[in-house]
Amino acid sequence: MSSQTPPHKPRVAVVFGGRSSEHAISVVTAGAVLRAIDREKYDVLPIGITVDGRWALTADDPERMAIADRKLPSVAELAESTDGGVVLPVDPTNREIVYSEPGSVPKALGEVDVVFPVLHGPYGEDGTLQGLLELSGIPYVGSGVLASAVGQDKDYMKRVFTSFGLPVGPYEVIRPREWELDPAAARKKIVDFAAEHGWPLFVKPARAGSSMGITKVDDLAGLDDAVEEARRHDPKIVVESLLCGREIECGVLEFDDGPRASVPAEIPPVTAHDFYDFEAKYIDSAAGLVPAPLTAEETAEVQELAVAAFEAASCEGLVRADFFLQDNGEFVINEINTLPGFTPISMYPLMWQKSGVDYAELIDRLIQAALRRSTGLR
C-alpha cells in the first residue's frame, strides 16, 4: 500500500514591528493577520523586528499583540530570546532562513515561500525591506521598491500624482538642510505659504504614517514647535494647507484582471480630537462610515481616482487611497498607503468587507497574488 506525500503548504513569514515610530501599530496589525490566516492552507512563521532593528523569533500569540488598557504592544515583549537573531539569505537560489544565538550553532528554520510584511513607516514600508527581499529572491505581499518608496514619501508621492494629472492640494516641502542651515529662511518659506493659502496649516513628517508627528498650526506662534515635532519623526517635513471638506478613503486590491476599488468610507469629524490623529485612530477608535454616504457619481469618481493613483505609483497588491471631498464638490487626493493597517478597526479591511471580501479572503488573496509574482523586474 503506497503512502501519499501530503501536499506542500506555502510557508508565510509574517514580518512585523520595525524601527519606525509605528512599531506598535505594526504589532497590532500582525496580531490580526496571524489570527485570520488560514492555518489549514498555510504554514506560518512570525518574525518580529525590534525597535533597534534585531530580527527575532516571536510567539505566535495574537492575543498578546493587541492594545490593552491603552498600552501598546512591542516585539521585545514577544521575542523568544533577548539576543537571538533571524537571518535572511541574500541569495535568490536559497530561501532558507537561519536563526542564531551567541555561542550556539546556527539553526535552520527552513525555507519561506512568501513574506507578508506588515511593517509601517521607514525601514519596512518604504522600499528598504522590499529591496532586501528582492535580493533574497523571496516573493512578498504588496508593492515593490519604487512604489513603496513613492508611497512613503509625501513629497515625491505628490509630484508623481501631479505628473499624472491627479488633483493634489497645496503643499510646501522643507528639506533637512533648509531647516538646519537657515531656519529663518525655511520659516519664511512656510509663512509665505500661509500668506498665500491661509492658516491653519498641517505640519507633517514627509515619511511617516498613522498620523504620527502631525500638528495643526493655527498661527505663527505654534510653528517652530510643530516643525520640531515633525522632525522628531523625519528631518524632511511637508506643510499642507487646510482643505475644507469631507475625508474619504478607498481601498484598492489587485485581482487577476487588475486592480479594483472597494466601496469608499468616510472619516467623520472627531469631536474629542482636533483632527484624525494617532489617538483618534488607534486609542479612542474613531469609527468611520462604511460605505460613505456619497452619491453614485461621487462613489464612481473616487473609485476611479483610487485606481488611477494605484497605477500612477506602480503599486502592487493593495493600497488605501485617502481623499478630501471639498465643499466645491471636487476630490483632492491626500496620500496613498501601500501597507495600510490591518487592525480589527482599520478602514482598509472594513471597506473590503463591505465590498464582499471578508478578512480571511482578503489575506488569502494578497498571499496568492504575491506567490504568483516573481521578484526582479516585472
Side-chain angles (χ1 to χ4, degrees), residues 124-203:
E125 189 180 353
D126 61 349
T128 50
L129 175 65
Q130 290 74 13
L132 174 62
L133 295 172
E134 292 285 350
L135 290 173
S136 300
I138 302 175
Y140 52 93
V141 169
S143 292
V145 175
L146 174 65
S148 297
V150 167
Q152 185 64 36
D153 191 316
K154 295 177 178 65
D155 173 14
Y156 287 97
M157 181 198 307
K158 292 175 188 291
R159 293 172 186 267
V160 167
F161 291 157
T162 300
S163 72
F164 277 83
L166 296 172
V168 172
Y171 72 99
E172 187 60 85
V173 177
I174 304 296
R175 300 180 183 279
R177 282 192 295 272
E178 291 182 85
W179 190 260
E180 291 159 8
L181 298 180
D182 194 346
R187 191 180 298 108
K188 182 178 184 303
K189 190 174 173 181
I190 300 173
V191 171
D192 289 346
F193 177 81
E196 181 178 358
H197 299 287
W199 300 91
L201 303 176
F202 287 91
V203 178

Side-chain angles (χ1 to χ4, degrees), residues 174-177 179-180 207 230-237:
I174 304 296
R175 300 180 183 279
R177 282 192 295 272
W179 190 260
E180 291 159 8
R207 295 162 290 192
R231 283 173 52 82
R232 283 199 315 112
H233 300 268
D234 184 352
K236 181 166 79 165
I237 66 170

Side-chain angles (χ1 to χ4, degrees), residues 34 39 42 58 63 104 108 150 249-250 254 261 334 339 350 356:
L34 289 171
R39 303 306 178 100
Y42 303 106
T58 67
E63 300 307 317
S104 301
V150 167
E249 299 185 348
C250 190
E254 191 174 356
N334 185 36
L339 282 174
L350 288 176

